[in-house]
Amino acid sequence: ARQDAYDHAAAAAAHERSALGGAASEATDAALALALRQAERLAPGLASLDHGTPGWSSADLVGAGVPAYQRVGTIHGNPPGGDSGGGGMVGVPVVLPFLGTRGWQLWSDSREDAHGFAQNAVLRAVAASEAMRVRVDAYDPRISGAFGLFGELQQRHPGIMPAPAHSPDELAAALADLVTTSTRRGARLTQFGHGGFADLVAATEHGVEPYRVVVLLDYPAGVDAEAHDDLVRVATTADARGICLLVHHDPEVTPDHGVDVAELLTLLQPVALEAGRVVLDDVDVGGAAVASDPPPSAAQSRSVCTLVADRADAMTLPTVDFAGTLPPEDEWWQPVTDELATVIGYADERPASIRLRSGNPPLPNVLVGGAVGQGKSNLLLNLVHGLAARYAPADLEMYLLDFKQGLEFAALGPAPGREHWLPHARVIGVHSDRPFGLAVLRHIAAELTRRSDTFKAMGNVADIAQLPPSPDRPPRILVMLDEFQVLLGEGEAGDEAARLLEQLVRLGRAYGVHVVLATQSLAGIQRLATRRDSIFGQVPYRVVLKTTPGDSQQMLQLFNTAPAQLRFRGEAILNDDYGAVDANQRILTSYADKAVLDDLRRRLWRRSGDDRPPRVFQVGEPARLTDVGTAAVVREDEESLGAWVGMPISVGEDPVTLQVRPEPGAGLAVLGDGPSDALGVLGGLAYALARAGGPGTRFVLLDCLPPTDELAEGRQALADLLRRLGRPVEVVAKDGLDDALVALCDAVRGGSGGDGRPCHVLGYGLHRAGRLAQLDALREVVRDGPLAGVFTFGWWNRLHVLTDQLGPNRGNLNAYLFLQHPADGVRRICGPTVSWASERYRGLYWTGMGDQPEVVVPFGPLRATDVDALAGGAA
């Protein structure tokens, strides 16, 4: 494409030479060649090429580099030895310094020509520069639409060119960002001893900020005194800080009070347009006339914008290697002193750190935000792993909850084929829901109370930082809530979550509790309307990746839209002053792929010797007996037997236990749809009873389900497991149900099962038993069996079916567990005020004790592969 451009210029020159001859022709050739070479050197590629050359339609010259000079027109003066009528030199571009200077002040006798000149300047700057290395902010107070030529860039990459500002308020917001950018760059230049922005860019390893071009059309229209002052402040040091202004001055506009246009214009290079010519008072062009380039056509601008946007799509920032942010392995697990600190990325040459501490100044909690796909999950994982490498599990515990449909936290816990886990993690919510989130908040709130009592007993200690490292010092706690706004939904649960969250962020710092709140957006969270200050007033750290201007201000402060101007995934604004604009720090967060983090977890786990896996919770999955198979089976007294009905929705790792005693009412009715959940409940009961009971304990399994349905493996696995545990098992199919009930009834009448051995009867799908000839026997077994050591645990699909089979007193059963069951039946047993939203993998457990029933997570049906693990663990 570059050669095509040169060929075009050569052809034009050949045409001109045909009118010349001899020495004049040679002089023309030499002058033209020198001019083209000089223009190419100063303004490479599209910064100096004529719009008519083929290079403008090729991707080869787009993004060739950041041009310091730009073409503004061409010379059409007389050739050496010629006369005024001999024609002018063809294709000799005039280029002026632009990026790296304060910029240009433009005057024109035609407003249309001035806007066309500005369009040309912007198109050349954007097209010639490397992708994302130039950002253009425009102010068009008269809504001329001149920047509609760049609509595709504005839509696809507002980080290169946001939509033009049209109102004074929009201009004020843009200038506030520009002042902040200039201030920050000035501080960095001083800090690192660089002479100018170009030196800073050359020395920067982790990410590159763009040159900033500011275009003002029809100045001073729409510019008030405050905006004018900001413009002057920026322009005064613009050349050293990578900021360049292009100001079109309209002298017919009467400036606002306090606006001295000369104060700004005298800082800029004057460029005038008169009758299609460029007049450069301060530039010597040998008296030749400089013809202004025509504005680009709409088709040409669209084509170039597409090429630039495609380049930007494909461009990525240099990656900060997460492993490079970690200390050497022999420096892992240093004692916690007064803070928890870890590196999350780099700001130029400097590591960017999060330092969680309770005082001097207090920086206890963090808010992390960012739009979808911008690297929020990666940032959270690197924060977790960075802290885990620096501090031992005895000094730092983590409660990690994800309330979205993500699986990022799943890798932090145990899994089939993966023996290791993150040893610092005490609770992992892979896909949490509000009940579990509330349970965790309650647990941490109770821990605050426990620590308060402990600190008082230690001599009224006011802050955990006052305690020296010792085995008696409680560990710091990190609570990470991804998409935390789910907790703050409607209803009483949302009220309680907001109250607990406020308590944790306000009081937790003194007791070593640090909260990380993460979200894609804070917009529309009604519960924050009254608690925003009380919650976020305790969250000084803000780390915001690229997001919308509205969300930027929600997560930082009003008018702080810096995250909206970030360009790449992984870039973020780090702010440790509650979102104040002056505290913005632009960083590039570190990145580690899954294999690197998994290897780190393996090494940390081996180093810890941890044999206690974290409590793992996930919505949409049952609990697994294999996860708690070795837990102790709790018995309240010598007569009782502990039977597991499921896992609690709580931080506790012990199953919910039904105490089974030889008393009337013992047993359990499982009610509702969901064969898988029902079988899981009965399986957990049977396994715990087999372990808790004596050697004579036996089981009778009344199986009314089809022999080859999807639960056949689970039923067979349970029978095999009970036998492996040394318990006799009798499996009764549907057609043998009446005979089995007669035998059980005889055993009840004989006492203790007839032979001194406790007997547990499990009924699978008793609602499918049909018309039982021995219905009275079933009722007698359920009602009178417990006193004789025969206990019944059955599953029926509806309460009314249970009532039809067992009678109006339902066998005097005291314990019920509802699965997916109509609400009216639930209320008949648990009371009229109970609200139960039936869903899979949830059960509502009721014994008549306490104010409210308890929600549990049923165990999943056993698999054949579970038998060895459970039988071996129990042994």
Side-chain angles (χ1 to χ4, degrees):
R2 192 184 303 273
Q3 187 60 49
D4 288 343
Y6 289 151
D7 291 344
H8 178 85
H15 175 75
E16 182 67 19
R17 283 196 304 272
S18 66
L20 302 172
S25 177
E26 293 178 6
T28 299
D29 287 344
L32 178 59
L34 177 61
L36 290 173
R37 286 196 301 269
Q38 184 76 341
E40 169 66 17
R41 183 180 66 82
L42 295 174
L46 300 183
S48 61
L49 287 185
D50 184 271
H51 287 317
T53 61
W56 279 93
S57 60
S58 170
D60 293 344
L61 295 184
V62 171
V66 178
Y69 283 68
Q70 281 191 200
R71 169 174 168 151
V72 296
T74 54
I75 291 178
H76 288 275
N78 294 327
D83 57 40
S84 59
M89 292 175 59
V90 177
V92 180
V94 174
V95 297
L96 294 180
F98 187 56
L99 297 179
T101 73
R102 293 174 180 171
W104 302 336
Q105 56 133 314
L106 174 65
W107 175 89
S108 176
D109 55 4
S110 165
R111 185 164 168 262
E112 183 179 354
D113 287 350
H115 289 187
F117 184 94
Q119 292 168 333
N120 249 325
V122 168
L123 186 64
R124 289 190 185 279
V126 171
S129 300
E130 298 168 17
M132 311 297 283
R133 291 293 308 279
V134 171
R135 172 192 167 104
V136 180
D137 292 270
Y139 182 45
D140 184 5
R142 290 174 171 169
I143 317 179
S144 70
F147 283 84
L149 284 179
F150 310 102
E152 181 168 359
L153 268 183
Q154 294 164 10
Q155 294 167 10
R156 290 178 58 183
H157 282 282
I160 296 176
M161 187 181 298
H166 297 298
S167 69
D169 286 345
E170 291 174 328
L171 176 62
L175 290 177
D177 171 67
L178 205 63
V179 169
T180 300
T181 298
S182 179
T183 302
R184 174 169 43 81
R185 289 180 179 180
R188 286 159 58 196
L189 291 172
T190 301
Q191 179 181 2
F192 297 111
H194 297 308
F197 182 70
D199 298 331
L200 180 64
V201 168
T204 299
E205 178 182 357
H206 301 292
V208 176
E209 290 195 46
Y211 280 88
R212 300 291 296 270
V213 176
V214 182
V215 182
L216 302 181
L217 298 183
D218 308 320
Y219 173 80
V223 176
D224 58 23
E226 184 175 355
H228 173 76
D229 290 344
D230 283 342
L231 285 167
V232 172
R233 291 166 60 200
V234 169
T236 301
T237 57
D239 49 345
R241 299 180 183 181
I243 301 171
C244 185
L245 282 72
L246 174 54
V247 179
H248 161 226
H249 176 217
D250 185 347
E252 295 183 0
V253 175
T254 301
D256 279 6
H257 177 73
V259 175
D260 181 358
V261 295
E263 192 176 6
L264 174 63
L265 297 180
T266 54
L267 295 172
L268 308 176
Q269 167 70 42
V271 178
L273 299 179
E274 297 179 355
R277 293 186 175 186
V278 181
V279 180
L280 305 168
D281 293 339
D282 298 338
V283 179
D284 182 11
V285 291
V290 180
S292 175
D293 286 336
S297 68
Q300 187 173 54
S301 182
R302 284 197 306 271
S303 174
V304 173
C305 286
T306 298
L307 293 173
V308 172
D310 290 344
R311 283 289 181 91
D313 287 340
M315 185 179 177
T316 59
L317 270 179
T319 300
V320 175
D321 181 24
F322 169 73
T325 68
L326 297 179
E329 190 163 347
D330 59 2
E331 297 179 13
W332 288 2
W333 292 6
Q334 297 297 311
V336 179
T337 53
D338 60 340
E339 67 179 19
L340 300 172
T342 188
V343 177
I344 62 171
Y346 272 83
D348 298 326
E349 296 91 342
R350 295 174 294 112
S353 298
I354 292 288
R355 303 172 62 190
L356 300 174
R357 59 175 182 252
S358 55
N360 296 321
L363 296 169
N365 308 306
V366 187
L367 172 65
V368 176
V372 176
Q374 296 304 315
K376 176 167 65 70
S377 295
N378 168 76
L379 173 59
L380 296 179
L381 287 173
N382 287 348
L383 176 60
V384 164
H385 288 82
L387 290 170
R390 288 171 169 84
Y391 305 103
D395 288 326
L396 175 60
E397 292 184 349
M398 298 184 183
Y399 295 74
L400 311 171
L401 304 184
D402 186 349
F403 292 95
K404 66 179 187 302
Q405 300 285 344
L407 298 176
E408 288 80 6
F409 290 167
L412 308 187
R418 183 177 66 225
E419 64 176 357
H420 60 279
W421 53 82
L422 185 70
H424 303 69
R426 296 274 52 88
V427 169
I428 297 174
V430 175
H431 177 203
S432 307
D433 61 1
R434 291 174 70 191
F436 186 69
L438 271 174
V440 171
L441 294 184
R442 292 177 190 135
H443 175 83
I444 303 298
E447 178 63 18
L448 294 184
T449 301
R450 288 190 290 271
R451 293 191 177 190
S452 175
D453 295 339
T454 300
F455 285 12
K456 289 176 182 177
M458 298 174 72
N460 288 323
V461 172
D463 193 312
I464 194 172
Q466 297 173 4
L467 300 177
S470 75
D472 297 330
R473 185 180 64 177
R476 300 290 182 111
I477 292 176
L478 181 75
V479 182
M480 182 173 285
L481 308 174
D482 193 6
E483 300 305 329
F484 75 96
Q485 72 278 1
V486 172
L487 280 169
L488 306 180
E490 297 299 321
E492 294 181 2
D495 289 335
E496 183 182 4
R499 178 181 57 79
L500 289 170
L501 189 58
E502 179 182 346
Q503 180 182 359
L504 294 188
V505 299
R506 182 168 51 86
L507 302 178
R509 65 176 185 171
Y511 301 110
V513 176
H514 305 285
V515 181
V516 177
L517 304 174
T519 183
Q520 293 175 9
S521 174
L522 290 176
I525 305 177
Q526 296 300 320
R527 209 166 297 279
L528 286 179
T530 57
R531 294 185 182 266
R532 183 181 185 89
D533 291 342
S534 60
I535 292 177
F536 293 125
Q538 308 297 325
V539 185
Y541 266 124
R542 315 289 170 89
V543 188
V544 187
L545 298 112
K546 183 173 177 59
T547 189
T548 65
D551 278 331
S552 297
Q553 295 178 85
Q554 289 275 349
M555 296 176 192
L556 296 171
Q557 283 189 5
L558 191 64
F559 301 123
N560 192 346
T561 61
Q565 297 156 21
L566 298 173
R567 300 168 296 158
F568 300 101
R569 183 184 188 275
E571 278 190 300
I573 298 299
L574 173 61
N575 189 300
D576 62 0
D577 191 19
Y578 304 91
V581 173
D582 291 344
N584 284 351
Q585 184 180 183
R586 190 172 186 152
I587 70 170
L588 179 60
T589 60
S590 59
Y591 172 78
D593 61 30
K594 294 180 180 179
V596 171
L597 296 181
D598 188 63
D599 180 66
L600 175 61
R601 286 192 298 273
R602 182 184 293 106
R603 286 185 285 158
L604 294 171
W605 178 75
R606 288 174 178 168
R607 185 185 183 109
S608 70
D610 187 10
D611 61 357
R612 183 183 65 160
R615 168 85 160 95
V616 178
F617 181 87
Q618 180 165 339
V619 172
E621 284 192 2
R624 292 293 175 191
L625 269 173
T626 50
D627 293 339
V628 292
T630 59
V633 179
V634 178
R635 302 174 59 172
E636 291 185 350
D637 50 56
E638 291 184 359
E639 282 193 314
S640 70
L641 297 172
W644 294 345
V645 299
M647 292 298 295
I649 300 182
S650 71
V651 174
E653 300 177 6
D654 295 326
V656 177
T657 301
L658 166 67
Q659 296 298 325
V660 180
R661 295 183 178 86
E663 299 173 351
L668 177 72
V670 181
L671 298 169
D673 296 325
S676 177
D677 287 346
L679 181 58
V681 172
L682 297 177
L685 286 163
Y687 174 64
L689 289 168
R691 289 181 52 197
T697 301
R698 68 189 182 96
F699 290 82
V700 178
L701 311 183
L702 308 179
D703 190 351
C704 298
L705 300 177
T708 58
D709 69 358
E710 69 274 11
L711 299 179
E713 178 189 2
R715 283 149 32 216
Q716 183 62 51
L718 178 57
D720 292 344
L721 174 60
L722 296 174
R723 293 187 178 107
R724 288 278 299 276
L725 294 173
R727 309 299 184 232
V729 176
E730 178 186 359
V731 179
V732 179
K734 181 178 177 180
D735 55 5
L737 196 59
D738 283 319
D739 293 340
L741 290 174
V742 170
L744 286 169
C745 190
D746 290 342
V748 169
R749 292 170 180 173
S752 298
D755 55 8
R757 298 184 301 171
C759 176
H760 299 298
V761 180
L762 272 63
Y764 302 154
L766 293 174
H767 53 280
R768 304 184 64 159
R771 298 182 63 84
L772 288 171
Q774 300 298 329
L775 192 58
D776 288 340
L778 173 63
R779 294 176 176 178
E780 188 172 346
V781 169
V782 175
R783 183 186 67 239
D784 301 331
L787 289 174
V790 178
F791 306 95
T792 303
F793 310 90
W795 165 45
W796 293 263
N797 70 334
R798 291 293 185 272
L799 177 63
H800 68 83
V801 178
L802 168 70
T803 305
D804 289 345
Q805 289 188 358
L806 300 186
N809 291 326
R810 294 179 288 276
N812 295 328
L813 286 170
N814 293 329
Y816 296 84
L817 194 147
F818 290 93
L819 299 172
Q820 299 173 60
H821 193 284
D824 59 343
V826 177
R827 295 192 184 102
R828 286 182 60 187
I829 298 297
C830 303
T833 62
V834 170
S835 176
W836 172 236
S838 298
E839 57 182 310
R840 195 177 183 189
Y841 309 126
R842 289 290 185 276
L844 190 68
Y845 174 54
W846 175 245
T847 62
M849 307 295 289
D851 296 333
Q852 293 291 325
E854 181 176 4
V855 179
V856 301
V857 181
F859 295 108
L862 290 172
R863 296 166 292 195
T865 54
D866 296 333
V867 174
D868 287 342
L870 291 170

